[in-house]
PDB file of all heavy atoms in Angstrom:
ATOM      1  N   ALA A 113      28.261 -84.710  52.871  1.00 83.00           N
ATOM      2  CA  ALA A 113      28.543 -83.965  54.095  1.00 83.00           C
ATOM      3  C   ALA A 113      28.627 -82.473  53.816  1.00 83.00           C
ATOM      4  O   ALA A 113      28.108 -81.655  54.587  1.00 83.00           O
ATOM      5  CB  ALA A 113      29.838 -84.464  54.727  1.00 83.00           C
ATOM      6  N   GLU A 116      25.012 -81.200  53.002  1.00 83.00           N
ATOM      7  CA  GLU A 116      24.177 -81.118  54.198  1.00 83.00           C
ATOM      8  C   GLU A 116      24.652 -79.985  55.112  1.00 83.00           C
ATOM      9  O   GLU A 116      23.850 -79.321  55.775  1.00 83.00           O
ATOM     10  CB  GLU A 116      24.162 -82.460  54.923  1.00 83.00           C
ATOM     11  CG  GLU A 116      23.414 -83.531  54.141  1.00 83.00           C
ATOM     12  CD  GLU A 116      23.330 -84.870  54.857  1.00 83.00           C
ATOM     13  OE1 GLU A 116      24.162 -85.103  55.770  1.00 83.00           O
ATOM     14  OE2 GLU A 116      22.448 -85.677  54.518  1.00 83.00           O
ATOM     15  N   GLY A 117      25.960 -79.747  55.133  1.00 83.00           N
ATOM     16  CA  GLY A 117      26.479 -78.619  55.882  1.00 83.00           C
ATOM     17  C   GLY A 117      25.990 -77.302  55.300  1.00 83.00           C
ATOM     18  O   GLY A 117      25.653 -76.367  56.033  1.00 83.00           O
ATOM     19  N   ALA A 120      22.436 -76.831  56.271  1.00 80.00           N
ATOM     20  CA  ALA A 120      22.373 -76.405  57.674  1.00 80.00           C
ATOM     21  C   ALA A 120      22.692 -74.923  57.802  1.00 80.00           C
ATOM     22  O   ALA A 120      22.066 -74.201  58.588  1.00 80.00           O
ATOM     23  CB  ALA A 120      23.351 -77.236  58.505  1.00 80.00           C
ATOM     24  N   ARG A 123      19.650 -72.915  56.791  1.00 77.00           N
ATOM     25  CA  ARG A 123      18.624 -72.948  57.842  1.00 77.00           C
ATOM     26  C   ARG A 123      19.019 -72.056  59.018  1.00 77.00           C
ATOM     27  O   ARG A 123      18.181 -71.380  59.604  1.00 77.00           O
ATOM     28  CB  ARG A 123      18.402 -74.378  58.323  1.00 77.00           C
ATOM     29  CG  ARG A 123      17.613 -75.256  57.353  1.00 77.00           C
ATOM     30  CD  ARG A 123      17.170 -76.533  58.029  1.00 77.00           C
ATOM     31  NE  ARG A 123      18.293 -77.322  58.479  1.00 77.00           N
ATOM     32  CZ  ARG A 123      18.911 -78.237  57.731  1.00 77.00           C
ATOM     33  NH1 ARG A 123      18.506 -78.469  56.494  1.00 77.00           N
ATOM     34  NH2 ARG A 123      19.930 -78.932  58.215  1.00 77.00           N
ATOM     35  N   ALA A 149      28.061 -79.296  61.315  1.00 57.00           N
ATOM     36  CA  ALA A 149      27.489 -80.329  60.457  1.00 57.00           C
ATOM     37  C   ALA A 149      28.554 -81.334  60.036  1.00 57.00           C
ATOM     38  O   ALA A 149      28.332 -82.540  60.035  1.00 57.00           O
ATOM     39  CB  ALA A 149      26.837 -79.692  59.230  1.00 57.00           C
ATOM     40  N   ASP A 150      29.755 -80.845  59.680  1.00 60.00           N
ATOM     41  CA  ASP A 150      30.838 -81.739  59.298  1.00 60.00           C
ATOM     42  C   ASP A 150      31.239 -82.644  60.461  1.00 60.00           C
ATOM     43  O   ASP A 150      31.434 -83.841  60.311  1.00 60.00           O
ATOM     44  CB  ASP A 150      32.061 -80.930  58.852  1.00 60.00           C
ATOM     45  CG  ASP A 150      31.994 -80.551  57.383  1.00 60.00           C
ATOM     46  OD1 ASP A 150      31.086 -81.044  56.680  1.00 60.00           O
ATOM     47  OD2 ASP A 150      32.835 -79.760  56.932  1.00 60.00           O
ATOM     48  N   ALA A 152      29.483 -83.462  63.203  1.00 52.00           N
ATOM     49  CA  ALA A 152      28.421 -84.405  63.552  1.00 52.00           C
ATOM     50  C   ALA A 152      28.312 -85.513  62.512  1.00 52.00           C
ATOM     51  O   ALA A 152      28.078 -86.666  62.837  1.00 52.00           O
ATOM     52  CB  ALA A 152      27.097 -83.669  63.676  1.00 52.00           C
ATOM     53  N   HIS A 153      28.478 -85.170  61.240  1.00 55.00           N
ATOM     54  CA  HIS A 153      28.372 -86.165  60.175  1.00 55.00           C
ATOM     55  C   HIS A 153      29.453 -87.221  60.314  1.00 55.00           C
ATOM     56  O   HIS A 153      29.204 -88.416  60.112  1.00 55.00           O
ATOM     57  CB  HIS A 153      28.476 -85.473  58.812  1.00 55.00           C
ATOM     58  CG  HIS A 153      28.099 -86.352  57.663  1.00 55.00           C
ATOM     59  ND1 HIS A 153      28.938 -87.299  57.153  1.00 55.00           N
ATOM     60  CD2 HIS A 153      26.946 -86.442  56.937  1.00 55.00           C
ATOM     61  CE1 HIS A 153      28.339 -87.925  56.142  1.00 55.00           C
ATOM     62  NE2 HIS A 153      27.147 -87.421  56.006  1.00 55.00           N
ATOM     63  N   LEU A 156      28.447 -89.753  63.053  1.00 63.00           N
ATOM     64  CA  LEU A 156      27.118 -90.360  63.062  1.00 63.00           C
ATOM     65  C   LEU A 156      27.149 -91.851  62.759  1.00 63.00           C
ATOM     66  O   LEU A 156      27.874 -92.299  61.874  1.00 63.00           O
ATOM     67  CB  LEU A 156      26.225 -89.665  62.029  1.00 63.00           C
ATOM     68  CG  LEU A 156      25.722 -88.269  62.394  1.00 63.00           C
ATOM     69  CD1 LEU A 156      24.896 -87.703  61.253  1.00 63.00           C
ATOM     70  CD2 LEU A 156      24.898 -88.320  63.666  1.00 63.00           C
ATOM     71  N   HIS A 160      21.925 -92.432  60.244  1.00 76.00           N
ATOM     72  CA  HIS A 160      21.642 -91.116  60.799  1.00 76.00           C
ATOM     73  C   HIS A 160      21.979 -90.045  59.758  1.00 76.00           C
ATOM     74  O   HIS A 160      22.840 -90.232  58.905  1.00 76.00           O
ATOM     75  CB  HIS A 160      22.461 -90.876  62.067  1.00 76.00           C
ATOM     76  CG  HIS A 160      21.938 -91.612  63.261  1.00 76.00           C
ATOM     77  ND1 HIS A 160      21.834 -92.987  63.285  1.00 76.00           N
ATOM     78  CD2 HIS A 160      21.491 -91.182  64.468  1.00 76.00           C
ATOM     79  CE1 HIS A 160      21.349 -93.360  64.470  1.00 76.00           C
ATOM     80  NE2 HIS A 160      21.134 -92.282  65.197  1.00 76.00           N
ATOM     81  N   SER A 161      21.320 -88.905  59.865  1.00 73.00           N
ATOM     82  CA  SER A 161      21.482 -87.831  58.897  1.00 73.00           C
ATOM     83  C   SER A 161      22.030 -86.577  59.561  1.00 73.00           C
ATOM     84  O   SER A 161      21.533 -86.145  60.610  1.00 73.00           O
ATOM     85  CB  SER A 161      20.134 -87.506  58.238  1.00 73.00           C
ATOM     86  OG  SER A 161      20.176 -86.269  57.567  1.00 73.00           O
ATOM     87  N   ALA A 162      23.062 -85.981  58.951  1.00 69.00           N
ATOM     88  CA  ALA A 162      23.601 -84.725  59.464  1.00 69.00           C
ATOM     89  C   ALA A 162      22.573 -83.607  59.367  1.00 69.00           C
ATOM     90  O   ALA A 162      22.587 -82.668  60.172  1.00 69.00           O
ATOM     91  CB  ALA A 162      24.867 -84.342  58.699  1.00 69.00           C
ATOM     92  N   ALA A 163      21.684 -83.688  58.385  1.00 70.00           N
ATOM     93  CA  ALA A 163      20.642 -82.666  58.253  1.00 70.00           C
ATOM     94  C   ALA A 163      19.710 -82.690  59.463  1.00 70.00           C
ATOM     95  O   ALA A 163      19.291 -81.639  59.961  1.00 70.00           O
ATOM     96  CB  ALA A 163      19.854 -82.894  56.968  1.00 70.00           C
ATOM     97  N   THR A 164      19.386 -83.894  59.959  1.00 81.00           N
ATOM     98  CA  THR A 164      18.535 -84.002  61.149  1.00 81.00           C
ATOM     99  C   THR A 164      19.272 -83.493  62.379  1.00 81.00           C
ATOM    100  O   THR A 164      18.676 -82.842  63.245  1.00 81.00           O
ATOM    101  CB  THR A 164      18.085 -85.456  61.362  1.00 81.00           C
ATOM    102  OG1 THR A 164      17.409 -85.912  60.181  1.00 81.00           O
ATOM    103  CG2 THR A 164      17.141 -85.570  62.548  1.00 81.00           C
ATOM    104  N   VAL A 165      20.565 -83.773  62.462  1.00 81.00           N
ATOM    105  CA  VAL A 165      21.369 -83.233  63.570  1.00 81.00           C
ATOM    106  C   VAL A 165      21.325 -81.710  63.551  1.00 81.00           C
ATOM    107  O   VAL A 165      21.144 -81.061  64.587  1.00 81.00           O
ATOM    108  CB  VAL A 165      22.822 -83.725  63.472  1.00 81.00           C
ATOM    109  CG1 VAL A 165      23.711 -82.975  64.467  1.00 81.00           C
ATOM    110  CG2 VAL A 165      22.907 -85.217  63.732  1.00 81.00           C
ATOM    111  N   ALA A 166      21.499 -81.119  62.357  1.00 76.00           N
ATOM    112  CA  ALA A 166      21.481 -79.663  62.253  1.00 76.00           C
ATOM    113  C   ALA A 166      20.123 -79.102  62.660  1.00 76.00           C
ATOM    114  O   ALA A 166      20.042 -78.049  63.303  1.00 76.00           O
ATOM    115  CB  ALA A 166      21.818 -79.243  60.819  1.00 76.00           C
ATOM    116  N   LEU A 167      19.053 -79.814  62.314  1.00 81.00           N
ATOM    117  CA  LEU A 167      17.704 -79.374  62.684  1.00 81.00           C
ATOM    118  C   LEU A 167      17.519 -79.422  64.200  1.00 81.00           C
ATOM    119  O   LEU A 167      16.971 -78.487  64.810  1.00 81.00           O
ATOM    120  CB  LEU A 167      16.666 -80.253  61.989  1.00 81.00           C
ATOM    121  CG  LEU A 167      15.190 -79.935  62.265  1.00 81.00           C
ATOM    122  CD1 LEU A 167      14.860 -78.508  61.864  1.00 81.00           C
ATOM    123  CD2 LEU A 167      14.304 -80.934  61.516  1.00 81.00           C
ATOM    124  N   TYR A 198      18.484 -89.618  68.262  1.00 90.00           N
ATOM    125  CA  TYR A 198      19.507 -88.622  67.945  1.00 90.00           C
ATOM    126  C   TYR A 198      20.042 -87.955  69.211  1.00 90.00           C
ATOM    127  O   TYR A 198      21.255 -87.732  69.347  1.00 90.00           O
ATOM    128  CB  TYR A 198      18.948 -87.570  66.986  1.00 90.00           C
ATOM    129  CG  TYR A 198      18.998 -87.976  65.540  1.00 90.00           C
ATOM    130  CD1 TYR A 198      18.042 -88.832  65.004  1.00 90.00           C
ATOM    131  CD2 TYR A 198      20.006 -87.513  64.705  1.00 90.00           C
ATOM    132  CE1 TYR A 198      18.080 -89.214  63.669  1.00 90.00           C
ATOM    133  CE2 TYR A 198      20.058 -87.883  63.372  1.00 90.00           C
ATOM    134  CZ  TYR A 198      19.097 -88.731  62.855  1.00 90.00           C
ATOM    135  OH  TYR A 198      19.150 -89.109  61.533  1.00 90.00           O
TER     136      TYR A 198
END
Side-chain angles (χ1 to χ4, degrees):
E116 291 182 340
R123 285 193 299 271
D150 274 352
H153 192 282
L156 286 178
H160 284 60
S161 165
T164 303
V165 170
L167 180 59
Y198 276 80

